[in-house]
Amino acid sequence: MPALASHRRIRSRTTRTSPAVGFTTAALAGVTLLSTQSATASPNDPKPSIEEVQKKVDDLYRQAGSATQEYNKAKESTAEQRREVDTLLDEAATRAEQLNESRRALGTFAAAQYRTGAVTPTAALMFADSPQAYFDQSQLMNRMTDQQRTAVKDYEDERAAAAVQRAEAGRKLQALTESQQALRTSKQTVQTKLTEARTLLDRLTAEEKARLAAAERKKEEEARRKAEEKAKAEAEARAAAEAEAARQERERQQQEQPPPSGGTGGTTDGGYTAKADKVLAFARAQIGKPYVWGATGPSSYDCSGLTQAAWKAAGVDLPRTTWDQVEVGKRVATADLLPGDLVFFYDDISHVGIYIGDGMMIHAPKPGANVREESIYYMPIYGSVRPV
């Protein structure tokens, strides 16, 4: 019987290109760029103010950040799909070999039946060397008949299972191919939008660029002022905690009691602090490296790629996207933030940074910028979590 064709012919059609950005077109559909406005506006229309330019560019980058999370999610899903396809193809190859082995066994039985099937029992007895030899041969053939029935059943079972497995591999391969095509298309769309944003900024005059830079500095100063206020509040809280610890120690000494096992009223344990120290050490070592959407290091990062890598350095595996990271650990209020906590921004949770204390964070900001320290008040805060 012919050997069963290897499933590896399916693998030859697998496209091994890296998945591209899985941004949904809808993520940027609502952004109206000023370049488009300029092309369609009448000469009498008022020119957008610097504040409007800043708002539109910031909004574009925010939506690009959200789209980056779409990409990260799709890329992770595509990688999982590829692993599933590879596993199914490997299993199908093994099953095909088992099926071929069953076919060879059936061929052996068929040959044996052909050699003996045309001889009558009387003739077989006459041609046998002895009655005992005839009896032994008859018993052997009976056993072969039982084995043959078993072999036929095994063959049919293997063939049915192989058909199901190959069909499943084919479906997953088709889904993988479609996902990769969608990622490539979305990547081109987002790159076009970011190029238009850069073009918009390039069209500003020198005076307009100076005004835009001044508006940016004002925004940064306001964020820094809020960070300083939080730093002051944190310092006061630490002083109060230290004073309370000193009071408790004095009372303990007066009563000659052992120190409380729960510490001095801190809001976290030493285990978390040790991990957070590793997170911050890693994050600080990345300062100055460029933001690249979809990147997870070591030479560049996007926002959630940086937080994932930093916590991995402390032995904690975080999910890939901001949308999944915000679900990990314990939710904490902004007033209760501790170094190492993750701070998320915007209503769509499209950005994240690592809190370092005193109202500041380390984050990978946006395209064209590097990993840096910045006030957590530079962007609207969505919420915070403490990975535990």
Side-chain angles (χ1 to χ4, degrees), residues 15 17-21 78 174-188:
T15 301
T17 56
S18 298
V21 182
T78 300
Q174 179 62 31
L176 173 61
T177 302
E178 292 173 356
S179 295
Q180 289 174 328
Q181 180 58 45
L183 291 174
R184 286 190 291 269
T185 301
S186 298
K187 176 180 180 179
Q188 184 177 4

Side-chain angles (χ1 to χ4, degrees), residues 89-365:
L89 293 177
D90 290 338
E91 291 175 353
T94 300
R95 193 173 293 278
E97 182 57 34
Q98 293 171 346
L99 193 55
N100 288 333
E101 184 63 31
S102 297
R103 281 185 167 180
R104 285 190 289 269
L106 288 179
T108 300
F109 288 130
Q113 186 178 22
Y114 175 78
R115 288 194 299 270
T116 61
V119 181
T120 65
T122 301
L125 177 60
M126 291 176 61
F127 288 113
D129 293 337
S130 66
Q132 183 62 43
Y134 170 75
F135 176 77
D136 292 343
Q137 186 178 26
S138 297
Q139 289 295 103
L140 176 61
M141 292 305 299
N142 288 336
R143 286 197 301 271
M144 288 182 65
T145 300
D146 292 338
Q147 292 173 359
Q148 182 178 2
R149 283 194 294 267
T150 300
V152 170
K153 182 179 184 303
D154 291 345
Y155 170 75
E156 292 296 336
D157 290 345
E158 289 288 346
R159 185 172 65 173
V164 171
Q165 200 166 49
R166 288 175 66 85
E168 178 66 14
R171 286 192 295 270
K172 287 189 177 295
L173 183 61
Q174 179 62 31
L176 173 61
T177 302
E178 292 173 356
S179 295
Q180 289 174 328
Q181 180 58 45
L183 291 174
R184 286 190 291 269
T185 301
S186 298
K187 176 180 180 179
Q188 184 177 4
T189 300
V190 172
Q191 288 176 329
T192 299
K193 293 293 185 181
L194 293 177
T195 299
E196 289 175 351
R198 288 191 293 269
T199 301
L200 171 62
L201 294 174
D202 290 343
R203 288 176 179 173
L204 295 176
T205 65
E207 189 271 337
E208 288 172 332
K209 289 180 180 179
R211 289 168 54 199
L212 183 61
E216 184 69 17
R217 285 193 298 271
K218 181 178 179 181
K219 180 180 177 182
E220 291 174 354
E221 289 170 1
E222 177 63 19
R224 190 179 302 113
R225 182 187 64 78
K226 291 183 178 179
E228 290 171 354
E229 291 176 356
K230 180 164 177 55
K232 181 180 178 181
E234 289 181 0
E236 292 174 350
R238 285 194 296 269
E242 291 171 0
E244 176 62 18
R247 184 189 66 78
Q248 291 181 2
E249 178 63 17
R250 289 193 299 271
E251 291 182 355
R252 183 190 68 77
Q253 291 177 354
Q254 292 173 358
Q255 300 175 5
E256 296 184 353
Q257 295 178 351
S261 59
T264 59
T267 57
T268 189
D269 58 32
Y272 181 80
T273 301
K275 290 179 180 178
D277 288 344
K278 294 179 180 179
V279 170
L280 298 188
F282 180 92
R284 288 191 173 101
Q286 313 314 308
I287 289 177
K289 294 183 178 180
Y291 174 101
V292 174
W293 48 264
T296 56
S299 58
S300 59
Y301 297 89
D302 64 18
C303 64
S304 57
L306 176 63
T307 54
Q308 183 186 50
W311 268 97
K312 188 174 183 62
V316 176
D317 290 326
L318 292 181
R320 179 64 182 91
T321 71
T322 54
W323 303 322
D324 292 328
Q325 290 180 7
V326 77
E327 301 296 332
V328 174
K330 173 185 176 183
R331 294 294 294 267
V332 294
T334 302
D336 298 326
L337 284 171
L338 293 173
D341 291 347
L342 302 180
V343 185
F344 298 86
F345 302 90
Y346 302 112
D347 291 340
D348 59 1
I349 322 177
S350 57
H351 193 71
V352 62
I354 303 168
Y355 191 65
I356 62 175
D358 294 337
M360 301 293 289
M361 66 176 171
I362 295 175
H363 71 141

Side-chain angles (χ1 to χ4, degrees), residues 11-92:
R11 185 186 291 276
S12 67
R13 295 194 296 270
T14 304
T15 301
R16 286 290 182 179
T17 56
S18 298
V21 182
F23 304 129
T24 57
T25 304
L28 290 168
V31 179
T32 303
L33 296 174
L34 291 179
S35 55
T36 303
Q37 291 178 340
S38 299
T40 59
S42 102
N44 296 325
D45 288 342
K47 187 175 182 179
S49 67
I50 292 299
E51 290 74 17
E52 289 173 332
V53 172
Q54 183 184 41
K55 183 179 183 301
K56 287 182 178 293
V57 171
D58 287 347
D59 191 52
L60 174 61
Y61 279 130
R62 179 192 64 77
Q63 293 194 45
S66 180
T68 297
Q69 299 310 312
E70 289 280 5
Y71 162 66
N72 294 335
K73 183 177 180 179
K75 182 178 179 180
E76 194 172 45
S77 175
T78 300
E80 179 62 26
Q81 285 178 326
R82 180 179 288 114
R83 286 191 294 269
E84 290 177 356
V85 167
D86 288 345
T87 298
L88 282 170
L89 293 177
D90 290 338
E91 291 175 353

